[in-house]
Amino acid sequence: MPNGDNWQGDVLRDLRGASGAPAADTGGPPASAPPAPPSAAHASGTERIPAPTQPPAPAPTPTPAPHQQARTPQQAPTPQRTPAPPRPRRPSAPDSRAVVDSVLSGTARRPQRGEPVAVRVTRAVRRIVSSSAAREVAELTRTAEALQQPVTTGRQIAVTSIRGGAGKTTVAALLGTAYAHYRQDPVLLVEADPALGSLPLRLGAETLRWTTADLADIVEPQMSLLDVTGYLVQLPENAWLLPGSQGQIGAMLDTSAYERVMVALRRYFGVTVVDCETLPAEVARVALSASQARVLAAPATLDGVTSTYAVLQWMQGLPRHMIDGTVVVLSSTVARPGIDVEAAAEKLRSTGAGVHVLPHDRHLAAGGVLRTELLGRPARLAATRLAAEVFQLSQKRR
């Protein structure tokens, strides 16, 4: 029988045995401990058998705060390279084409001199007995000095006409040949007339490959002069040719391609002569406005002078530098023109443009390869004076 004086200790022992907690005398029951149910041993008064104890449940692992959670090291992301923009695809190299068909070239006759023998002999005698030779040498010296003036940026000279057959390609070839002869820097001749232009034939080119439209997608700022000339046709005396077509009908040249080519090539060549389309073609108008000097070729005929005068009147309504930087070349297609050439020239000068007369020359009239050593003396001197005046006009316009 439990001791009545220590009944509280018996109750504590019963409670501790039921809960399985370690015995620790605290002097009283915990305030929060629930009452234990009566066991069978208390009911029968027999000896108590302690209940089997169970291991305490493991304490839950405390979850750290979000800002205290350890981050799993991850591999640094590989930087993504921005793909470079695709470079424009260069056109494939075209096949070379002959300027003149072998069968047609066999039909050409031997080139003749610009003046008959009798005329050349008479002029030589006059020069011996007169003092004109000294004046002529002095004039040629002044002309050569004007043609050899240095340039800071490339000069571009556009040659055009009102209609075909006016002699614009012949004038362009004469100008380019004169600049290449007198100047030390490279000279470029550009054919901006892709409709079966004859500039390569006049300059004696044998084969063609790259054209003006092709080079618009090829030339880059980092290219050297040697790289650029690899796409051009080499001519005598440090001159180069950029053809407009390969002798095929339908080849076109738009204004954007022309502008890209001329801007890109300007820094490589001291002087560039452009053989344009006939007016009022769009490329010809762009070439006239972008060049530093303009040459308008016209035949020394009544209809040629009339059409040219109308164009000059139209140019008077444009900015003043357009008419001031324009020179008209009257080409005599026959030995005896049907008009008074000097009177026609004075009428054209009244508009403010310069006028030069290119006399009839048998070598130029034949239409074959231009050979300056075969030109008559009047034609050669007229071409040199024309080249000097046009170049001086180009120097006035930056």
Side-chain angles (χ1 to χ4, degrees), residues 121-141:
V121 171
T122 303
R123 179 177 291 107
V125 172
R126 288 177 180 175
R127 292 180 64 207
I128 294 174
V129 300
S130 67
S131 59
S132 61
R135 293 194 302 269
E136 191 173 294
V137 170
E139 181 183 358
L140 288 175
T141 302

Side-chain angles (χ1 to χ4, degrees), residues 288-300:
L288 291 178
S289 61
S291 58
Q292 285 78 38
R294 289 149 293 279
V295 177
L296 192 60

Side-chain angles (χ1 to χ4, degrees), residues 97-174:
R97 296 176 61 93
V99 175
V100 181
D101 186 86
S102 58
V103 177
L104 295 178
S105 61
T107 61
R109 294 180 178 179
R110 181 179 179 180
Q112 59 180 348
R113 289 187 174 271
E115 292 180 303
V117 177
V119 175
R120 286 183 280 131
V121 171
T122 303
R123 179 177 291 107
V125 172
R126 288 177 180 175
R127 292 180 64 207
I128 294 174
V129 300
S130 67
S131 59
S132 61
R135 293 194 302 269
E136 191 173 294
V137 170
E139 181 183 358
L140 288 175
T141 302
R142 291 192 299 269
T143 304
E145 291 176 352
L147 288 171
Q148 293 171 354
Q149 293 179 2
V151 295
T152 54
T153 57
R155 304 288 89 187
Q156 295 180 0
I157 299 169
V159 182
T160 187
S161 62
I162 307 302
R163 58 179 176 82
K168 71 175 181 65
T169 300
T170 300
V171 172
L174 288 172

Side-chain angles (χ1 to χ4, degrees), residues 322-342:
M322 292 292 293
I323 193 72
D324 290 342
T326 300
V327 176
V328 177
V329 179
L330 288 176
S331 302
S332 298
T333 57
V334 294
R336 185 177 178 84
I339 62 171
D340 186 343
V341 178
E342 292 300 329

